[in-house]
Amino acid sequence: HRTHKVTVIGSGNWGTTVAKLVAESTREHPDVFEEDVQMWVYEENVTIAKDSPHYAAVGDQPQKLTSIINTCHENAKYLPGIKLPSNVVANPSIQDAVKDSSILIFNFPHEFIANILKQIKGHILPYARGISCIKGVTVTDHNVELICEYIGETLGIYCGALSGANIASEIANEEWCETTIAYNTPPGDLRASNGAAPNDNGGEHKDSHGQISKIKLTPLPQNYPPLGHEEFYKLFSRPYFTVSMVSDVVGVSLGGALKNIVAIACGFVEGHGWNMTAKTAVMRRGMLEIIAFAREFFPETIEEKTLWEESAGWGDMIVSCTAARNWRYSKMAVERGVTVQEIERTELNGQKLQGISTSREVSSFLRARGAEQNYPLFLAVDGILDGKVKVEDIPKLFRK
Ligand code: NAD
Ligand code: 13P
């Protein structure tokens, strides 16, 4: 192997956008990456709209989404109107898509994680490395886990996280923005890429609780092409996508996951008829709850400056509460007097609102731990989703 093969697992709105941008980079750096980028697609039949420029080629019968992507170079369902580079190869077989790839990019709604990992376990290179672009957390048995760490532990690989103030459709249109990638290069990977003999590096790596990682890492083979900050920077950065590389996976992951709950709260208050000042109060209090959560459950490792300084912190909070789907569609729900779940089913054409399940998971975790008192906003969103709390009650929750 002289170059890294890249697979994007997932092909929704963000998955397809990330496949586009990394495929541009693999073309630009043939010395580092294999040109073709595999993109796993959850296969479905799609009917092309009559006014689509692809209608003549595809016809009016439903076609497999993978075949539309590979013939028209467009994801007509999840990213319509955006031309994909021809080196994005849509693949309906997840096992085939991940085969021989040393870089796995996880990019799908977090509720599908367990099922997807089950399908790829045992089919990946043992020394593959991952980046998770997923915004969410995994809650198991009174335990909250970062998605990237859950991926790493399930597959026995190291996986970092990419998150930021990133609206897929804007980035797909090559409008400029920033992102944050958290990646703790395993110490053995650095050694291997310097030509040193590979050794067992599993024991040296710390997890998000500051403990020696349980993952028994398979080291990169000796003299394998290096894989660390420099290579991930090359893969993800574009003239319109500014990448900041950090090592705080906790701050990056929690900022991206928990702001979705706050975005839903902002949609609720705006749908109720309150404007920017109320929304600002919700955002500020939401960020305090994110910080409290990080301090309470990841005290050994959280670097709070990530939340203040990086795109994955305040940046993502602002864009999510003013322009993203979780905000937009929860506002619509209140305006129409229906549930957010109903809006997700009827208005999103298959796209998902991560804030609904994240709110559910985080609230049940907090209740199970008896840790509700510091998170009135998180719990209020869960209560409103259940119809047990009213939007107009939100200010009361903060009264001293
Ligand atoms: P999406 O909401 O656009 O699409 C839903 C995806 O889920 C589709 O690809 C669909 O095929 C797939 N799917 C449906 N049922 C499935 C099943 N049973 N098993 C597996 N897959 C199934 O997805 P997205 O916007 O690409 O979101 C992926 C992640 O990226 C999320 O965690 C999201 O928070 C994050 N994110 C999204 C954006 C954005 O602007 N869209 C930006 C940053 C981060
Ligand atoms: P939505 O899923 O609410 O659109 O959020 C996208 C995002 O993560 C913005 O940074």
Side-chain angles (χ1 to χ4, degrees):
H1 288 280
R2 295 203 329 277
T3 50
H4 292 291
K5 182 175 170 192
V6 181
T7 296
V8 179
I9 304 167
S11 53
N13 194 231
W14 186 222
T16 311
T17 301
V18 167
K20 171 185 178 288
L21 70 87
V22 299
E24 291 164 2
S25 297
T26 58
R27 272 204 171 142
E28 207 168 280
H29 301 288
D31 50 324
V32 187
F33 308 107
E34 209 170 283
E35 182 172 339
D36 279 358
V37 170
Q38 288 282 317
M39 177 171 78
W40 172 66
V41 175
Y42 179 74
E43 190 68 291
E44 60 186 293
N45 287 324
V46 171
T47 308
I48 287 276
K50 277 211 161 62
D51 58 357
S52 160
H54 307 299
Y55 184 76
V58 175
D60 56 4
Q61 291 306 306
Q63 300 288 332
K64 298 246 178 291
L65 182 55
T66 44
S67 115
I68 296 176
I69 296 171
N70 288 334
T71 14
C72 307
H73 303 294
E74 182 179 315
N75 185 339
K77 175 150 185 194
Y78 293 101
L79 196 63
I82 300 294
K83 178 106 185 133
L84 301 176
S86 57
N87 58 328
V88 171
V89 181
N91 191 336
S93 159
I94 196 162
Q95 288 90 4
D96 190 57
V98 298
K99 192 168 171 274
D100 296 332
S101 285
S102 46
I103 299 179
L104 303 173
I105 300 169
F106 297 85
N107 200 329
F108 47 81
H110 77 279
E111 44 271 53
F112 304 126
I113 185 104
N115 189 30
I116 289 178
L117 296 183
K118 211 185 303 159
Q119 294 177 60
I120 65 174
K121 201 174 156 83
H123 296 273
I124 60 171
L125 284 180
Y127 50 85
R129 301 290 180 249
I131 295 284
S132 164
C133 304
I134 298 167
K135 292 184 176 175
V137 284
T138 309
V139 178
T140 45
D141 298 345
H142 300 187
N143 200 2
V144 60
E145 213 177 344
L146 309 180
I147 293 277
C148 59
E149 210 156 73
Y150 178 74
I151 293 171
E153 283 173 7
T154 308
L155 299 179
I157 62 172
Y158 177 73
C159 184
L162 178 153
S163 183
N166 301 143
I167 304 268
S169 55
E170 296 184 9
I171 296 153
N173 274 313
E174 305 188 4
E175 296 170 34
W176 173 70
C177 76
E178 305 179 293
T179 204
T180 317
I181 297 178
Y183 194 86
N184 272 307
T185 311
D189 288 6
L190 294 171
R191 272 201 308 275
S193 60
N194 289 334
N199 62 1
D200 175 9
N201 59 19
E204 297 168 37
H205 210 228
K206 295 263 178 74
D207 68 13
S208 64
H209 296 287
Q211 308 294 314
I212 300 294
S213 171
K214 291 195 282 283
I215 306 170
K216 196 89 181 115
L217 275 188
T218 302
L220 293 176
Q222 192 173 10
N223 293 321
Y224 197 73
L227 194 46
H229 277 203
E230 205 179 311
E231 291 69 34
F232 285 113
Y233 183 86
K234 276 192 180 136
L235 184 61
F236 287 98
S237 70
R238 303 300 307 146
Y240 56 86
F241 199 55
T242 302
V243 171
S244 163
M245 299 291 312
V246 302
S247 55
D248 176 22
V249 282
V250 174
V252 167
S253 304
L254 290 185
L258 300 177
K259 61 82 192 179
N260 280 329
I261 308 178
V262 187
I264 290 201
C266 282
F268 286 157
V269 302
E270 209 172 338
H272 181 65
W274 296 335
N275 289 300
M276 269 317 288
T277 43
K279 250 170 49 159
T280 306
V282 168
M283 286 159 70
R284 187 184 75 83
R285 288 176 184 277
M287 182 53 92
L288 294 184
E289 291 188 18
I290 294 177
I291 293 169
F293 192 94
R295 282 184 188 160
E296 186 163 359
F297 301 110
F298 297 88
E300 310 294 334
T301 48
I302 177 65
E303 292 173 37
E304 288 177 29
K305 78 176 176 41
T306 306
L307 294 165
W308 297 108
E309 295 178 9
E310 290 292 333
S311 181
W314 261 113
D316 196 7
M317 175 70 87
I318 292 167
V319 84
S320 296
C321 296
T322 52
R325 297 171 300 185
N326 281 278
W327 160 76
R328 190 180 305 283
Y329 291 100
S330 48
K331 175 170 173 282
M332 185 185 285
V334 176
E335 285 164 351
R336 294 191 186 171
V338 298
T339 63
V340 188
Q341 296 87 326
E342 173 77 7
I343 292 283
E344 187 186 43
R345 255 194 318 277
T346 58
E347 302 295 324
L348 271 120
N349 194 28
Q351 294 188 28
K352 301 281 175 204
L353 299 177
Q354 299 281 266
I356 301 175
S357 42
T358 303
S359 159
R360 289 296 150 90
E361 291 152 2
V362 167
S363 301
S364 77
F365 165 74
L366 290 171
R367 283 192 202 102
R369 297 281 293 240
E372 298 102 311
Q373 69 282 3
N374 292 328
Y375 309 96
L377 185 69
F378 288 175
L379 287 144
V381 171
D382 186 56
I384 296 167
L385 287 169
D386 270 344
K388 291 186 182 144
V389 174
K390 291 201 177 72
V391 177
E392 54 267 40
D393 292 337
I394 287 180
K396 274 189 239 157
L397 302 169
F398 298 111
R399 244 170 242 161
K400 291 263 185 297

